[in-house]
Amino acid sequence: MKIFVAGATGAIGRPLIAQLLANGHNVVALTRSSEKAETLAQQGVESASPSELRFAIADVFDPDSIKAAILQAHPEVVIEQLTAYPKTYTRESMSAATKFNTRIRLEGGANVLAAAQAAGVRRYLRQSIAFWAVPGSGLADEETPLAFDGSPAVAADARVVTELERRLLEQPDLEGIILRYGFFYGSGTWFAPDGDVANQVRQQQFPIVGNGEGVWSWLHIEDAAIATVSAAERGNPGIYLIADNQPLKVREWLPVYARWLNAAPPPQVSVEDAIQIGGADAIYYGTQMRGVLNAKARRELNFQPRSLEWLVKSAAYANESCKEDKR
């Protein structure tokens, strides 16, 4: 298939394009400038022939330019991965990025969607978020409402993604697919060994809040790409939760993550102190966040996510230590 990727330079862009090419698809990757296209090529994305991978230069905030780019590409499928997250995962940087990130998703996404419809695109996939389900017992599924009454940033983002999902799923002329991803880890993410969260953990700046009951659902960036390609090829219209098989409470994953990084154990702070340090959103992520079920993706997309990297390494280390003790 010919597939147009908007958001090709984001964290998921390079592995997504590589996976599409590996599956034999022709890809047109949207970038804002020739410099961005060159960066992608230098990162090894452009390993295929020009007939398999091309670049489209257009501004998603310019309806005419994005329409021209998609009309010229004439794809069967559009995959929209538009976001503008900062390189650092802090209260300040996330707050500073919110306005532009919201704009690129709402305004830029609307322009890409309209252009896809004008070009007669058959199928449209877009990125969404798995970890904003309303707090409650058990794991959330695709039918679980989002946290509109959550902490301020969570509630605001839940409303944004709901609007984005509604816009797509209500289009009768498109096969709309929503991919709600879990927390990315792997190369180029905040949780990579050289990522910002890893640095915060090393510096004792990423604590367990309260009882650490918040449940996180994880997703390796390459598994995100694999699932996205599967959805493009055979997914049914609707929403998919894309996350690994083992949602974990903060108090379970964070100490193991610290050991994997050769860092000291994470500190623990009270809810009251966390509000002063990170605001109400820190309480949501640390104590209220709800993990998700990936049963639909496993069933319909044959999704087989890998186990969380630092848990695997920790288990392997424990086994080796046990063998040494028995010798």
Side-chain angles (χ1 to χ4, degrees):
M1 292 188 295
K2 181 177 280 189
I3 299 178
F4 188 97
V5 179
T9 57
I12 192 175
R14 188 173 63 84
L16 173 58
I17 292 171
Q19 187 65 34
L20 287 167
L21 294 172
N23 280 31
H25 298 293
N26 292 329
V27 179
V28 178
L30 175 68
T31 67
R32 292 192 299 271
S33 66
S34 56
E35 290 77 17
K36 288 282 188 180
E38 185 177 344
T39 298
L40 276 178
Q42 290 173 349
Q43 290 174 339
V45 168
E46 198 167 19
S47 57
S49 70
S51 63
E52 296 171 318
L53 175 62
R54 294 187 291 111
F55 294 104
I57 311 299
D59 182 353
V60 295
F61 296 121
D62 182 345
D64 291 336
S65 72
I66 193 64
K67 181 178 179 181
I70 295 181
L71 284 171
Q72 183 177 12
H74 196 60
E76 299 168 70
V77 178
V78 168
I79 301 176
E80 183 200 324
Q81 300 281 1
L82 295 176
T83 58
Y85 289 113
K87 291 185 178 181
T88 57
Y89 183 63
T90 66
R91 181 183 184 183
E92 295 76 19
S93 62
M94 294 297 287
S95 178
T98 294
K99 184 175 180 180
F100 184 69
N101 189 41
T102 300
R103 184 186 175 213
I104 198 169
R105 290 190 294 177
L106 287 174
E107 182 183 338
N111 290 336
V112 175
L113 179 59
Q117 290 176 292
V121 168
R122 173 178 62 86
R123 173 166 289 208
Y124 193 107
L125 289 74
R126 84 160 327 276
Q127 178 180 149
S128 191
I129 306 295
F131 40 83
W132 289 330
V134 63
S137 61
L139 300 175
D141 63 16
E142 285 82 2
E143 302 301 320
T144 304
L146 299 189
F148 300 131
D149 295 326
S151 56
V154 170
D157 278 329
R159 288 190 288 269
V160 168
V161 299
T162 297
E163 172 62 15
L164 292 169
E165 294 179 359
R166 182 196 64 77
R167 286 182 186 178
L168 176 55
L169 297 179
E170 289 182 356
Q171 302 302 322
D173 55 340
L174 278 176
E175 297 174 4
I177 297 176
I178 303 295
L179 301 171
R180 291 182 179 172
Y181 298 125
F183 271 98
F184 287 154
Y185 72 98
S187 179
T189 71
W190 291 321
F191 292 88
D194 60 350
D196 187 63
V197 171
N199 291 332
Q200 291 182 44
V201 170
R202 293 187 184 100
Q203 296 166 16
Q204 296 279 281
Q205 295 175 351
F206 200 99
I208 297 172
V209 175
N211 57 14
E213 286 282 323
V215 180
W216 291 45
S217 287
W218 295 93
L219 180 62
H220 194 284
I221 197 72
E222 293 179 5
D223 287 340
I226 292 168
T228 302
V229 175
S230 295
E233 293 172 341
R234 62 178 183 272
N236 294 311
I239 298 171
Y240 288 90
L241 286 165
I242 310 296
D244 73 9
N245 299 326
Q246 191 176 7
L248 292 168
K249 295 176 181 178
V250 176
R251 68 168 182 259
E252 296 170 335
W253 68 261
L254 184 52
V256 182
Y257 180 60
R259 286 199 299 272
W260 180 63
L261 296 171
N262 294 317
Q268 189 160 2
V269 300
S270 68
V271 168
E272 292 75 18
D273 287 343
I275 289 177
Q276 298 300 317
I277 299 168
D281 296 307
I283 308 306
Y284 172 86
Y285 285 103
T287 68
Q288 298 172 339
M289 190 161 63
R290 192 171 178 180
V292 301
L293 291 167
N294 64 6
K296 181 179 177 181
R298 287 190 284 112
R299 182 177 65 250
E300 297 186 13
L301 305 179
N302 192 31
F303 181 49
Q304 300 176 34
R306 69 200 72 188
S307 298
L308 189 59
E309 185 174 8
W310 50 88
L311 291 184
V312 173
K313 296 289 178 63
S314 177
Y317 177 78
N319 288 338
E320 286 300 316
S321 297
C322 183
K323 290 178 184 178
E324 288 292 332
D325 291 341
K326 292 178 179 179
R327 288 173 185 170

